[in-house]
Amino acid sequence: MASPGSGFWSFGAEEGSAAAETPGTARAWCQVAQKFTGGIGNKLCALLYGDAEKPVETGARAAAPGVAEPRPTCTCDKKPCGCQKADVNYAFLHSTDLLPTCNGEITTMSFLQDVVDILLQYVVKSFDRSTKVIDFHYPNELLQEYNWELADQPQTLEEILLNCRTTLKYAIKTGHPRYFNQLSTGLDMVGLAADWLTSAANTNMFTYEIAPVFVLLEYVTLRKMREMVGWPGGCGDGIFSPGGAISNMYAMLIARFKMFPEVKEKGMAAIPRLVAFTSEHSHFSVKKGAAALGIGTDSVILIRCDERGKMIPSDLERRIVEAKQKGFVPFLVSATAGTTVYGAFDPLIAIADICKKYKIWMHVDGAWGGGLLMSRKHKWKLNGVERANSVTWNPHKMMGVPLQCSALLVREEGLMQSCNQMHASYLFQQDKHYDLSYDTGDKALQCGRHVDVFKLWLMWRAKGTTGFEAQIDKCLELAEYLYNKIKNREGYEMVFDGKPQHTNVCFWYIPPSLRGMEDGEERTSRLMKVAPVIKARMMEYGTTMVSYQPLGDKVNFFRMVISNPAATHQDIDFLIDEIERLGQDL
Amino acid sequence: MASPGSGFWSFGAEEGSAAAETPGTARAWCQVAQKFTGGIGNKLCALLYGDAEKPVETGARAAAPGVAEPRPTCTCDKKPCGCQKADVNYAFLHSTDLLPTCNGEITTMSFLQDVVDILLQYVVKSFDRSTKVIDFHYPNELLQEYNWELADQPQTLEEILLNCRTTLKYAIKTGHPRYFNQLSTGLDMVGLAADWLTSAANTNMFTYEIAPVFVLLEYVTLRKMREMVGWPGGCGDGIFSPGGAISNMYAMLIARFKMFPEVKEKGMAAIPRLVAFTSEHSHFSVKKGAAALGIGTDSVILIRCDERGKMIPSDLERRIVEAKQKGFVPFLVSATAGTTVYGAFDPLIAIADICKKYKIWMHVDGAWGGGLLMSRKHKWKLNGVERANSVTWNPHKMMGVPLQCSALLVREEGLMQSCNQMHASYLFQQDKHYDLSYDTGDKALQCGRHVDVFKLWLMWRAKGTTGFEAQIDKCLELAEYLYNKIKNREGYEMVFDGKPQHTNVCFWYIPPSLRGMEDGEERTSRLMKVAPVIKARMMEYGTTMVSYQPLGDKVNFFRMVISNPAATHQDIDFLIDEIERLGQDL
């Protein structure tokens, strides 16, 4: 099904900006824009008038390209030569005309600049509420309507630019003020700039030798994060890993090694049967990690939660004692600071007491809630985190850092290194001429490791801790606004009572036809279908996106989360209006 | 120690481009450049004349910023308003003046454009042989000379731009034609463009819902890669993972699950003692994976290699039989296609025969050598790979795709999903309105997963398979050129005989003082120190970078690898000259 009212190829047609609808204002703004150097003025004006975005019909169905007309060969021997290359006609150019090709500078700068222009337009549009969050098409439509295949022969740079436009046309605008679908939303401009720089630097975190600045920034940033966790002087260890699931797996790996270091050489066969504990509302990655590490999902004991989704400490203690009586060895409790669905914070102090009593590694999965440590108003929700042995904290969630950016923090220094090191002599030569403690790669599970730190570091410099705080406080305030708006509104039922602790607001929308109905099978089975239908309609209209799911015996409900700094009270109002508009006939 | 001849802050002073040394030519080229729109002309000219890069002295030691002068508040109610924001003075602007701030479009476009200008200059310089590969400083120098700390208060956008310049000043130019230090070198312009787009799209691979195009491109690209491996119709499964080590770990995880699916729930305690086999020249990630998965490094049996670093199949079979006799269960053979140091290709056909005979999962770690599948001339070196059950192939190595881009390919479809899925209902709702087979996230170890496919896909479109082939063939030709140049040259000893199979060329440089010396302890202990000293000097001069290491009983030798498409015969000549210049007095 095509999205309502949009022809398949009409990129931007129904997305006219507010300015394009009011040409007078556009003209005024354009005059201002013209004062800029660097060609920005022209680009901005083109964008305002809506003619910057060429329709993508022409050549979109890229046939296997024929033999392209070759670029006239430069025969002069001057460098840079004076040959006329000024007419950059991408229809006759290929990637082989770009750097490192001899004299490829002009073509390269021109090409990259054109890509950047496409991206800048996309970025500006992303924040424009009159554009769609998504131009939805079903997988088979997208596969059939455009030729995505990889061929033997090259495409021209013109086709490459077209590929970029087409890709963005069907992309989700994750920075859009009305995109609430995931824990990671928003598009931070400094973060984006930092990610672009990271790409241009194109290096690898394993040694200081090839990533001197980034290794130092990882050191500085992890230390700062540990300070915020509350470890004296920011002491300890840590790493940026490819996501919260891997960070949680690291914690499990290190906890196991700490208790039974022989597991590294001898494997699980040489050690007793381990068990880990986490709440029934915790993230699935705890089980995923246990499966991978050879511990087994059955050895992850799920602790009961209260009605708000917080782990019940007495149940934890009971299950620990029970496991010990059965001969199992409890080695890890993974508490959650900010559960995925309810946004609940486990009672960390009580859990820390239990971990201390039974000598169990305490991990805090703060992938989602860790960001609240930046807020003087909200950080009390993580009280006790300073007693953890390890903490997962994903700046790519609540702090709005571009994906991916996840940190694992470990209180004991050196443990990660002992646990994971393999002493590869081709990377970690012991006779280098600099301080080898900066060759941090051997503490990782990975060999090559992407530079994830720079965007966080640069954003932190740009915002300061107080800037992150303001951003996070605002999102929490918006969540409270939403909660207050719907808690007594006709047609809404809250999934749990009380003010949200994080930005998660969980609720059912009850369409008029269900409002008078008694609780029972009929109502439940109809209510179950409401959220999926509204969500599908949201995506087809492309107006907003919010997640839903069932949980335990509760049928599909909406889980609203706000991590997008672009969102305002009006966007929350819009969401509610949209749910009612799309759901009233159900 | 500062690098010779360079003051600490003199960014670019000693790096004047060839053009800057010949202002007449620069002027001529500048005239050509001026014909471009988009401000490129001006930027290029500034670069040519060497004044684009401002020295970083001013404000480099960023004190904790005081209260910045606030931006005049716009009070008009028109959108976009006509207020004079044209004077973008970054000294008075902060990240809060960028989007999504109301009317932040102009400031944002101007800021991002300025970042891009910095990056374009860096990119062009990266390919300029008259610039340094690295402006080396010791960790304590870098930490002390610049304030990298994270503070409560924000920095201005001026300081943020300065941070970007400073970061790049000390970065390794990994695209530089004389950077040979790692298996991943080079900077591809289409790859860079694609990575920039990926950053702007800022999404996550777990569901089609939020990454429709990227999920389809992963499907298309993995199928194509499987075709090239030789699996009929490209059938099978796979995933892009955060690096070769994780890809190899996936293989081990899936192989274990295939043989003993109960391991997922019950853990290693419920299954027999497993053993894996790999060659003594294989990558350390096989052991790292075994340690993590609870198998234990002792259960990774290292098979002997011949003098070229290829696994000896008869030794493999002997060790399999031996392990079985001891009651262990062989579950995986990890053959290597392109070893890290020697670039050796294990005899895959013979290994496949043995795996078939003993019913063992055959994995091929082609992280480094997989790229040769793109070359009609060289792909025979991987003959037998089509019989593997799984293959690791890192396009970020030999194919020059920006980091990170690693694929694991699996012959049996569905196995990854069964092995790793946890059915998280908040992500993988079963009542969505589209074909759920495109929600591929549950087959991953990760939850969130970075979009790594787009840069490979776009590069493949831009080059075609034939373009990758040409690039790879050229690198192998250069390796042979180096081999031929030094094999009989005075002062060189090859680590092993014969033409290189991959681009790895391993050799000792013997300084004049050691040339007459008899083999023995004295010579060995002196030879051991030669490569580290030459390497340290290379880095201090910043002229080139190549790796060295010991291996087994062989003391430190140079491992030259060529994956950088920018390298030419002259760069190989330069490397040899440089080794001799820097090592003649040792």
Side-chain angles (χ1 to χ4, degrees), chain A residues 307-512:
Chain A
E307 71 290 348
R308 292 292 301 263
K310 295 165 184 287
M311 187 193 285
I312 299 173
S314 59
D315 194 51
L316 171 64
E317 182 158 16
R318 187 178 66 78
R319 300 299 296 271
I320 289 173
V321 171
E322 196 178 279
K324 286 167 75 89
Q325 281 166 352
K326 287 183 184 162
F328 296 112
V329 176
F331 81 109
L332 174 99
V333 174
S334 180
T336 312
T339 59
T340 313
V341 179
Y342 280 19
F345 290 82
D346 286 345
L348 300 183
I349 294 172
I351 291 169
D353 289 341
I354 293 170
C355 287
K356 187 179 173 192
K357 182 172 170 187
Y358 295 96
K359 297 189 175 55
I360 305 176
W361 183 281
M362 176 180 172
H363 174 64
V364 174
D365 177 3
W368 172 226
L372 270 60
L373 291 168
M374 310 297 275
S375 162
R376 283 164 290 191
K377 186 173 171 191
H378 296 289
K379 69 178 175 189
W380 63 270
K381 294 165 187 173
L382 288 103
N383 279 352
V385 69
E386 71 284 357
R387 293 175 61 189
N389 298 94
S390 56
V391 178
T392 293
W393 174 355
N394 287 10
H396 71 214
K397 292 196 165 80
M398 199 59 203
M399 289 161 72
V401 177
L403 291 157
Q404 62 192 33
C405 189
S406 170
L408 177 77
L409 309 172
V410 182
R411 197 165 57 190
E412 182 176 333
E413 207 177 336
L415 205 51
M416 296 193 75
Q417 182 83 8
S418 318
C419 178
N420 292 320
Q421 71 187 347
M422 292 290 154
H423 305 284
S425 61
Y426 79 95
L427 271 179
F428 308 114
Q429 301 91 336
Q430 295 305 298
D431 43 16
K432 286 183 185 175
H433 61 133
Y434 59 80
D435 178 353
L436 296 176
S437 70
Y438 291 95
D439 280 0
T440 55
D442 213 12
K443 71 169 76 167
L445 265 179
Q446 300 173 263
C447 172
R449 189 159 61 92
H450 190 258
V451 177
D452 294 334
V453 68
F454 187 66
K455 49 202 169 193
L456 170 58
W457 180 81
L458 197 69
M459 280 174 68
W460 207 323
R461 297 276 275 200
K463 290 176 198 292
T465 309
T466 56
F468 276 123
E469 177 181 50
Q471 186 173 314
I472 287 164
D473 285 356
K474 183 192 149 205
C475 287
L476 275 114
E477 190 275 315
L478 282 180
E480 204 169 321
Y481 172 80
L482 170 62
Y483 168 75
N484 287 328
K485 186 178 172 103
I486 61 175
K487 67 179 173 183
N488 297 316
R489 189 182 178 96
E490 195 187 356
Y492 292 83
E493 276 179 33
M494 305 310 293
V495 173
F496 53 84
D497 286 334
K499 259 182 22 178
Q501 279 227 302
H502 204 315
T503 70
N504 307 50
V505 180
C506 295
F507 61 90
W508 289 280
Y509 169 70
I510 318 288

Side-chain angles (χ1 to χ4, degrees), chain B residues 393-584:
Chain B
W393 174 356
N394 287 9
H396 70 214
K397 291 195 165 82
M398 199 60 204
M399 288 161 71
V401 177
L403 292 156
Q404 61 191 33
C405 189
S406 169
L408 178 76
L409 309 172
V410 182
R411 197 165 58 190
E412 182 176 333
E413 208 176 337
L415 205 50
M416 295 193 76
Q417 183 83 7
S418 319
C419 178
N420 292 320
Q421 72 187 347
M422 292 289 153
H423 306 284
S425 61
Y426 78 95
L427 272 179
F428 308 113
Q429 301 91 337
Q430 295 304 299
D431 43 15
K432 286 183 184 174
H433 62 131
Y434 58 81
D435 178 353
L436 296 176
S437 69
Y438 291 96
D439 281 0
T440 54
D442 214 12
K443 71 169 76 165
L445 264 178
Q446 300 173 264
C447 172
R449 190 158 59 92
H450 189 258
V451 177
D452 294 333
V453 69
F454 186 65
K455 49 202 169 192
L456 170 58
W457 180 81
L458 198 68
M459 280 173 67
W460 207 323
R461 297 276 274 200
K463 291 176 198 291
T465 310
T466 56
F468 276 123
E469 176 182 50
Q471 186 173 313
I472 287 164
D473 285 354
K474 184 192 148 204
C475 288
L476 275 115
E477 190 274 317
L478 281 179
E480 202 169 324
Y481 172 79
L482 170 63
Y483 169 75
N484 287 328
K485 186 179 171 99
I486 61 175
K487 66 178 174 186
N488 297 319
R489 189 181 178 95
E490 195 188 359
Y492 291 83
E493 276 178 33
M494 304 310 293
V495 173
F496 54 84
D497 287 333
K499 256 180 26 175
Q501 279 228 302
H502 204 315
T503 68
N504 307 51
V505 181
C506 295
F507 61 90
W508 289 280
Y509 168 70
I510 317 290
S513 72
L514 296 186
R515 285 181 202 167
M517 202 178 283
E518 263 180 43
D519 252 0
E521 248 179 62
E522 160 76 2
R523 186 178 186 270
T524 302
S525 83
R526 284 184 57 189
L527 185 57
M528 187 172 72
K529 292 171 190 145
V530 169
V533 172
I534 293 176
K535 172 66 177 280
R537 290 178 179 177
M538 279 176 178
M539 288 180 69
E540 283 160 16
Y541 281 98
T543 46
T544 182
M545 279 175 76
V546 59
S547 190
Y548 75 87
Q549 69 283 298
L551 189 75
D553 58 354
K554 295 181 166 67
V555 297
N556 283 321
F557 55 87
F558 285 112
R559 179 207 62 177
M560 175 67 174
V561 282
I562 306 163
S563 60
N564 193 335
T568 62
H569 294 96
Q570 289 73 28
D571 297 312
I572 304 296
D573 295 340
F574 178 86
L575 175 80
I576 293 304
D577 291 346
E578 196 66 357
I579 287 174
E580 294 174 3
R581 179 176 82 86
L582 299 172
Q584 62 177 350

Side-chain angles (χ1 to χ4, degrees), chain A residues 25 29 35-36 38 40 44 80 84 86 88 99 105-106 108-110 113 136-139 142-143 147-152 154-155 163 167 170 172 174 179 181-182 186 189 195-196 199 201-203 206 208-210 212-213 216 223-224 242 249 256 264-269 273 283-284 288 291-294 296-298 340 402-404 420 424-426 429 431 433 438 442 444 446 450 454 457 460-466 535-536 540 548-550 556, chain B residues 25 29 35-36 38 40 44 80 84 86 88 95 99 105-106 108-110 113 137-139 142-143 147-152 154-155 163 167 170 172 174 179 181-182 186 189 195-196 199 201-203 206 208-210 212-213 216 223-224 242 245 249 256 264-269 273 283-284 288 291-294 296-298 340 402-404 420 424-426 429 431 433 438 442 444 446 450 454 457 460-466 535-536 540 548-550 556:
Chain A
T25 314
W29 199 28
K35 297 181 183 171
F36 286 86
I40 299 167
L44 199 57
Q84 297 295 316
V88 177
L99 285 171
E105 291 83 356
I106 291 182
T108 300
M109 289 181 84
S110 176
Q113 183 63 54
F136 181 77
H137 295 268
Y138 288 95
L142 267 191
L143 276 174
N147 173 11
W148 307 98
E149 295 300 321
L150 298 166
D152 286 347
Q155 290 195 332
N163 288 331
T167 299
Y170 300 112
I172 309 294
T174 54
Y179 175 74
N181 209 62
Q182 310 293 147
M189 293 300 102
D195 221 16
W196 286 356
S199 302
N202 192 34
T203 195
F206 35 56
Y208 179 84
E209 184 174 326
I210 67 160
V213 182
L216 295 182
R223 194 185 54 200
K224 182 76 179 177
M249 194 168 92
R256 178 177 70 178
K264 183 174 177 180
E265 284 84 27
K266 307 285 175 204
M268 293 292 286
R273 287 288 297 275
H283 191 258
F284 69 86
K288 213 161 219 181
L293 303 191
T297 54
D298 288 353
T340 313
L403 291 157
Q404 62 192 33
N420 292 320
S425 61
Y426 79 95
Q429 301 91 336
D431 43 16
H433 61 133
Y438 291 95
D442 213 12
Q446 300 173 263
H450 190 258
F454 187 66
W457 180 81
W460 207 323
R461 297 276 275 200
K463 290 176 198 292
T465 309
T466 56
K535 172 67 178 277
E540 282 160 15
Y548 74 88
Q549 69 284 297
N556 283 322
Chain B
T25 315
W29 199 28
K35 297 181 184 172
F36 286 86
I40 299 167
L44 199 57
Q84 298 293 316
V88 177
S95 64
L99 285 172
E105 291 83 356
I106 290 183
T108 300
M109 289 182 84
S110 175
Q113 183 63 54
H137 295 268
Y138 288 95
L142 267 190
L143 276 175
N147 174 11
W148 307 98
E149 295 300 321
L150 298 166
D152 286 348
Q155 290 195 330
N163 288 331
T167 300
Y170 300 111
I172 308 293
T174 55
Y179 176 74
N181 208 62
Q182 310 292 147
M189 294 299 102
D195 220 16
W196 286 355
S199 301
N202 191 35
T203 196
F206 37 56
Y208 179 84
E209 184 174 328
I210 67 161
V213 182
L216 295 182
R223 194 186 53 203
K224 182 76 179 177
M249 194 168 92
R256 179 177 69 178
K264 183 174 177 181
E265 285 85 26
K266 306 287 175 203
M268 292 292 286
R273 287 288 299 275
H283 191 259
F284 69 85
K288 213 162 217 180
L293 302 191
T297 53
D298 288 353
T340 313
L403 292 156
Q404 61 191 33
N420 292 320
S425 61
Y426 78 95
Q429 301 91 337
D431 43 15
H433 62 131
Y438 291 96
D442 214 12
Q446 300 173 264
H450 189 258
F454 186 65
W457 180 81
W460 207 323
R461 297 276 274 200
K463 291 176 198 291
T465 310
T466 56
K535 172 66 177 280
E540 283 160 16
Y548 75 87
Q549 69 283 298
N556 283 321

